[in-house]
Structures are given as structure tokens and as C-alpha cells.
Amino acid sequence: MKSPYIAKRHWDFEEAALSKTNEMVKRYDDVIDLSIGDPDYPADKGCIDKMHEEALAGHTRYTEFLGDEDLRRETIKQYKEDYGFDFDEDEIIITAGGTHAMYLTMEAILDEGDEVIAIAPYYIYYQPQIELPRGKLVVYNTRSEDNFDVDLAEFEKHITSRTKAVIINSPNNPSGKVYSPENVRGILEMAEKYDFLVIADDIYGALNYTDNKKAICSYEERPKRVITIYSYSKDYSMTGLRLGHVIADKELIATMRRVNEAVNFTINSMSQRLGIAAIKGRKEIQKGLYEEYHKRVMYLYERIQKMKNITCTKPEGTFYVFANIKETGINSMDIWEKILDEAHVLVLPGSGFGEAGEGFIRIACTVGIDTLKEAFDRMEKMEIFK
Ligand code: PLP
């Protein structure tokens, strides 16, 4: 969009595949939408009641700049209990979700031209999040043949004197991959050797179906280089709450605070009070979510095993199924359209998540089994999958 009123650096921004789904979902009356990661699972009623109560009790004003003190304390307690990881109250800033958390992080760490490595397939919005504060995205493509594991020697080739950080998103959107302790340790060692930061995007932390549940922040005691990004969007099914946090070294957090005072000032006070109730009730709330999403992804996994030209590995985390459609001979952008036109099911093209995602589609299990069944009954009738 070229206009003298728009800053030139925004003229060439490419629209992400995800941004097109608003129009695509309206193409037919009966589209089953399995595109955006916004599930139907209801937010916990007890938490909503608590937020209402807290709002009536006067929590409708600005909070501390770093976030509601009670919420920060509760978060510290949670990390200690869940991961044995300890940090101070000035090493956390509450944010309006993971997107805002990543923006504050990038704004705080990047000088013009600094590089951030994303491990592909990767969450689409990392690109603008890195580029808006004038950084440069460097993509390291993992391979589906290697089950999307990080080949540490290959990864190392992407490090330059301008590397400022790497983002590890585990469980990963879109692949559901949970990176092995060897991969995480290897990257942490390189961070030490080459002096860069490790940004752990842990927003699917509670949706990890493997035994490898260790949070990246807990690999080292008082890690200086690890920045943890978290959100209540997926783990608590509260995408609209817009609540999350960043945990990092206190100087970094102080910088994020300064940036945020110009961006958001303070976070929604009622959401923050809800956050306290959510953390306190997390075991119960997340048990339900975990079981439901696990059931859904396993249902699709079983269905896909019985279809032609489409395969997937056993889901490790998240509520996405990343299915390989290479055998169809059709690229992921074209098959995206074809599935919508022939089955009226809207998924996302794997190539929207970087080159490593070509030949895949991402199916978000955002609806119950009945609707997933209907979607797959329709897809199964397509010539390419028969
Ligand atoms: N990070 C990853 C990997 C995501 O998948 C998403 C949303 O889908 C986000 C961050 C941002 O989520 P939110 O801003 O709702 O916390």
C-alpha cells in the first residue's frame, strides 16, 4: 500500500496467509473453519465470575507499570512449583498476550539490522514482530524427514556477528513439535558461545503430550540469556483476555517497561485479576483443556492414517495437526484453496509458516469431535484423498 501518508517501510509488507482467512471463510455458507488457532473450548466460568467480582471491588484502574503485584507474585510461585524456576518481581512484566510480549521483547533488544533466528516451520507473525523494530529475520529450516528436529551443525551456520536472538517455540505452532532436551541444550550452549539471547515462546506450555515438559527457563539456574514469553490465550483458552507476560533479566524488563509506558501504559486491570484466579485453578482448568485437545488431535491422527496421500506423525503438543500432503503432488497454497472449494473446509497452508512447511497443511482442532468428523468426512470424499 503506497501512500505519502504511510511510512515507506510499511509499503511492502506482505499479507500473511492467516490474514486472508476472514474473507475465505465467507466463500460458502457451510465452511468448517479449522484455520485460526482460536478454539471453541469455553473459558473457565469461575475465573470470569472472579473477574466480575474484582471489577466491582474496584480493580478498574491502572495497575503498577510492571503489572498487578499480586499477579506477579502468583506467577513467581507458579514457576517455582511447576518448574523449580525462581525469579524476582522486577524480572517479570505483565503484557497484553504473547503478541505484545514478543513486540516488547524485540523493541527492547534489537538495533537496526540485528538478526533473530526463527526455527521453521514458525509462527507467521514473528516476521513483522522482528521487522517492525528494524530487525532482520533469519530462517533456519528444519526438515520434515528429520521430524523437524534441529540439526545443531546446520543451525550453527545461521549464526553471524549480528545474531541477537533465537526464538524457540515448543510445543511448536504449526508442527506441534516438542524440541528435545539435546536440541535445547545445544542451542543454549551456542547462545553462550556466540553471545546471543534465547527467546522461549512457551505459549502452548500446558498442551505438551510428551514426557519432556521441562521449560527452557529451567535448564540453567538464574539464566541470563533466556527470555520467556507466555500467554493465557491457549493454555487457558482465553484468547480475548489479552493477558501474558515476559520473564527476563531485570534490565531487559526495565527497558520493556519504558517501551510499554508509551505503547500500552498498563495492562487491563480486570484481566490481570482474572489471571490470578486462573493460575490458582490451573491444575483443574488445564486438565480439561489438555484432555479435550489431546482427544481431538488424536482423532485426526487416526483419521489421517486411513486416508490416501496425506500423513501425519503422532501429535506431540498444541491443538494443531500438521499434515503432510506431498503425495498429492499439489503445493500447499493450491491445496488450501482446493480443500476449501471441494470440501468447504478451511485449513492453513504449511508454506505460510516458512519454506519448511511447504507440502503441509495445518489443521486447527478448534471445534469438537463431531465437527472434526464432518470436516474429515467431506475431505475423505475428495478425489486426491480417496
Ligand atoms: N506465539 C505463538 C507460537 C502463537 O501461536 C500465537 C498465537 O497463535 C502467539 C504467540 C500470540 O498469541 P496471543 O497474542 O494471543 O497471546
Side-chain angles (χ1 to χ4, degrees):
M1 211 182 306
K2 293 191 177 170
S3 153
Y5 302 120
I6 295 172
K8 290 186 189 63
R9 68 179 190 281
H10 296 304
W11 284 6
D12 296 327
F13 261 137
E14 254 179 66
E15 196 185 22
L18 219 136
S19 310
K20 297 186 185 129
T21 53
N22 277 357
E23 286 71 44
M24 289 177 82
V25 80
K26 293 185 196 134
R27 196 176 295 172
Y28 307 102
D29 288 341
D30 60 347
V31 171
I32 298 178
D33 186 3
L34 309 179
S35 61
I36 292 179
D38 196 2
D40 61 348
Y41 194 88
D44 182 72
K45 182 169 179 308
C47 288
I48 298 169
D49 288 343
K50 185 72 186 158
M51 176 162 77
H52 184 218
E53 216 177 273
E54 296 274 32
L56 292 175
H59 286 284
T60 49
R61 304 171 64 186
Y62 293 136
T63 64
E64 289 235 315
F65 288 117
L66 286 180
D68 183 296
E69 274 189 305
D70 292 337
L71 176 59
R72 279 183 289 143
R73 282 194 205 113
E74 203 59 43
T75 312
I76 292 171
K77 215 168 113 204
Q78 175 203 347
Y79 273 76
K80 217 182 281 174
E81 277 171 24
D82 293 356
Y83 306 116
F85 172 58
D86 204 4
F87 57 95
D88 296 327
E89 274 176 50
D90 56 359
E91 291 177 311
I92 176 171
I93 182 167
I94 307 298
T95 64
T99 305
H100 179 224
M102 189 62 90
Y103 174 76
L104 291 183
T105 300
M106 293 303 169
E107 187 65 46
I109 68 171
L110 295 178
D111 280 316
E112 187 158 358
D114 277 350
E115 296 171 5
V116 179
I117 305 176
I119 301 171
Y122 66 96
Y123 176 56
I124 314 171
Y125 286 105
Y126 291 156
Q127 179 166 2
Q129 285 170 341
I130 293 164
E131 290 176 352
L132 275 172
R134 322 285 204 273
K136 187 173 161 216
L137 168 73
V138 173
V139 178
Y140 159 62
N141 285 300
T142 58
R143 290 156 28 101
S144 55
E145 295 84 337
D146 303 334
N147 196 23
F148 298 119
D149 280 325
V150 175
D151 176 329
L152 292 169
E154 271 308 307
F155 175 85
E156 194 166 16
K157 291 183 192 154
H158 293 70
I159 300 169
T160 72
S161 58
R162 295 302 306 268
T163 304
K164 197 66 177 271
V166 56
I167 304 172
I168 309 179
N169 169 220
S170 180
N172 173 276
N173 173 12
S175 69
K177 170 91 190 160
V178 174
Y179 296 101
S180 68
E182 293 71 35
N183 272 179
V184 173
R185 264 193 215 102
I187 293 173
L188 285 169
E189 278 163 22
M190 277 187 243
E192 179 81 30
K193 178 171 164 196
Y194 295 103
D195 196 14
F196 59 81
L197 298 159
V198 174
I199 302 169
D201 181 344
D202 286 354
I203 93 162
Y204 297 91
L207 303 175
N208 179 337
Y209 312 127
T210 73
D211 294 332
N212 165 25
K213 298 193 199 299
K214 197 172 163 74
I216 294 174
C217 59
S218 65
Y219 275 70
E220 299 162 349
E221 213 162 298
R222 311 296 297 183
K224 281 297 253 183
R225 295 171 192 287
V226 177
I227 300 177
T228 298
I229 281 176
Y230 190 71
S231 164
Y232 292 63
S233 288
K234 318 289 170 160
D235 278 4
Y236 293 93
S237 203
M238 295 188 192
T239 47
L241 188 71
R242 310 313 301 140
L243 189 67
H245 60 245
V246 185
I247 300 167
D249 176 77
K250 73 171 186 217
E251 283 166 16
L252 276 172
I253 294 293
T255 308
M256 290 180 209
R257 172 193 152 155
R258 272 198 298 280
V259 173
N260 191 49
E261 281 171 33
V263 172
N264 198 307
F265 206 57
T266 67
I267 308 308
N268 181 320
S269 53
M270 292 160 274
S271 293
Q272 296 192 63
R273 297 308 289 182
L274 187 155
I276 300 167
I279 295 177
K280 286 186 173 153
R282 69 188 180 284
K283 299 246 158 71
E284 202 47 44
I285 298 169
Q286 291 176 340
K287 186 170 178 284
L289 274 165
Y290 179 99
E291 282 169 4
E292 176 62 21
Y293 294 146
H294 191 225
K295 203 165 71 185
R296 291 180 186 184
V297 292
M298 285 309 291
Y299 173 75
L300 286 202
Y301 169 68
E302 306 286 347
R303 289 283 311 242
I304 287 172
Q305 304 313 309
K306 294 181 199 134
M307 288 165 76
K308 221 182 66 189
N309 295 333
I310 179 167
T311 58
C312 71
T313 52
K314 201 157 168 209
E316 293 184 350
T318 74
F319 44 70
Y320 307 113
V321 171
F322 205 48
N324 185 327
I325 44 84
K326 288 181 188 166
E327 287 294 313
T328 61
I330 305 172
N331 71 45
S332 66
M333 279 292 179
D334 289 345
I335 210 162
W336 181 33
E337 292 279 349
K338 197 173 171 64
I339 295 172
L340 177 61
D341 288 334
E342 293 183 19
H344 296 190
V345 175
L346 184 61
V347 294
L348 280 182
S351 58
F353 299 88
E355 205 184 299
E358 180 50 54
F360 284 77
I361 52 170
R362 192 197 76 174
I363 308 156
C365 296
T366 49
V367 294
I369 300 270
D370 287 356
T371 314
L372 288 177
K373 177 178 181 306
E374 167 68 20
F376 268 68
D377 287 350
R378 290 187 199 171
M379 280 169 63
E380 227 170 32
K381 291 195 187 102
M382 288 174 67
E383 210 50 53
I384 47 167
F385 295 133
K386 268 209 264 196

